[in-house]
Amino acid sequence: QVFSSVTSVLSMGVFKGQFVLEDLVAEMKKQRGDLSFGSLRSDGQIAVQGSFPAIKALRDFLLLKAKSLSEKDKKEESKSHQRLRRRLQEHRSTTEMRNSVPDGDGGKQVVVLDTDIYRYMKHFFPWIFQEDGVVVSAVTDGDITTVCVENAGRADAGQVSSVKKKIEDQSIKLHSILRKIRIPLKEHEKHRHKGVCERLKSCYPQALVVPYDAHIEVIGFSSDVFEVTKEMSS
């Protein structure tokens, strides 16, 4: 009530990839006809002018939008994890029936992993897959990687089982804490592909950065993934 009019600059970048920003601005104008809106800039910023209560009401509207996106993402992530878990269980049971053999000579044992978790483990925990006299091989089929642990001729059944257990235990720990994001690259951004990857690896040493032709995937702890998301959307 002290100021008849105030101006606020809003950053709409957080909504990129979820909404067409022009459509969201049109919805904002419809919601708050008592506010004056500037032009939407290429970086997602827009100036808004009006009374403080009106701008506060607009802020609350955008917070609800952001909250609904967060809840939607959590639901989708939960559904994705459930589908992956069912697929892992089905794949594990059929693969173990097909590939497990008696371990009188050390035998062969199989572990079925989510491919992202396998890649993260292979990069950051390579020692888990290493044991004298034991050979560990892997076959990747999309989201699923089948890891085979077998005797190389100098190990016993206990060593084979020990390696398998280490892989399983570490994968269970990582399954609940790792997250992944995909960063799409526009055509004009592909020339800086290598530089972006190197910078992310430097800034987030505990995250696995995987480059592809048209996008970059980052696999890591939720705090790192959140920071990367915030940085790349700004």
Side-chain angles (χ1 to χ4, degrees), residues 73 97 114 159 170:
D73 289 344
M97 287 176 64
D114 169 59
Q159 287 173 283
Q170 188 64 50

Side-chain angles (χ1 to χ4, degrees), residues 103-165:
D103 56 11
D105 62 346
K108 177 173 68 175
Q109 300 193 35
V110 169
V111 185
V112 181
L113 304 175
D114 169 59
T115 296
D116 292 329
I117 290 176
Y118 169 74
R119 287 189 295 179
Y120 191 91
M121 289 172 61
K122 191 71 175 174
H123 184 82
F124 289 102
F125 304 95
W127 54 268
I128 288 178
F129 301 90
Q130 299 167 2
E131 175 101 13
D132 287 341
V134 175
V135 174
V136 178
S137 57
V139 176
T140 296
D141 179 16
D143 294 335
I144 300 295
T145 293
T146 303
V147 179
C148 180
V149 185
E150 55 189 324
N151 180 12
R154 301 184 305 276
D156 57 29
Q159 287 173 283
V160 173
S161 296
S162 174
V163 174
K164 179 190 176 187
K165 187 174 188 307

